[in-house]
Amino acid sequence: VFDAPKTSRALDLLDDWSADYPTLVLLDASEEFAGKSFRNLARVRVMAVQEAGVADIVGAASLLVSQSALPALVQRAAGSASGSDGEEA
């Protein structure tokens, strides 16, 4: 949990995880401090989970999804699996 922006904490988290770069960090819109913590790191891209596209995800060597953002990502993936036009059969 990021109670305040702290780039060194974000870097430590990625180092402890041994993340490969480029890394994509997907966050919920409410996680402003986490976004600010990761955004200044080299080869790390931060975006709201609602804005992430397939090319963003496939282009990342590592994907870090916050616990808050994960349900939205799963929901989007499930919707994509039902059909390309978004309608269920």
Side-chain angles (χ1 to χ4, degrees), residues 6 9 14 17-19 30-33 36 50 55 63 71 75 78 81-82:
K6 189 90 172 160
R9 183 160 182 230
L14 292 176
W17 180 39
S18 300
S30 66
E31 297 176 298
E32 179 182 354
F33 291 146
K36 288 181 178 181
Q50 296 83 357
L63 178 63
Q75 183 178 10
S82 67

Side-chain angles (χ1 to χ4, degrees), residues 78-79 81-89:
S82 67
S84 60
D85 59 5
E87 294 181 17
E88 293 184 27

Side-chain angles (χ1 to χ4, degrees), residues 2-74:
F2 287 85
D3 298 330
K6 189 90 172 160
T7 302
S8 62
R9 183 160 182 230
L11 182 59
D12 288 344
L13 191 147
L14 292 176
D15 285 345
D16 289 347
W17 180 39
S18 300
D20 291 327
Y21 295 93
T23 298
L24 176 61
V25 178
L26 297 180
L27 301 172
D28 183 72
S30 66
E31 297 176 298
E32 179 182 354
F33 291 146
K36 288 181 178 181
S37 298
F38 284 98
R39 72 180 180 189
N40 291 324
L41 297 175
R43 303 196 67 205
V44 175
R45 186 167 177 210
V46 180
M47 62 180 18
V49 67
Q50 296 83 357
E51 296 174 7
V54 173
D56 298 310
I57 294 170
V58 172
S62 294
L63 178 63
L64 176 63
V65 183
S66 73
Q67 199 167 16
S68 298
L70 185 58
L73 183 62
V74 170

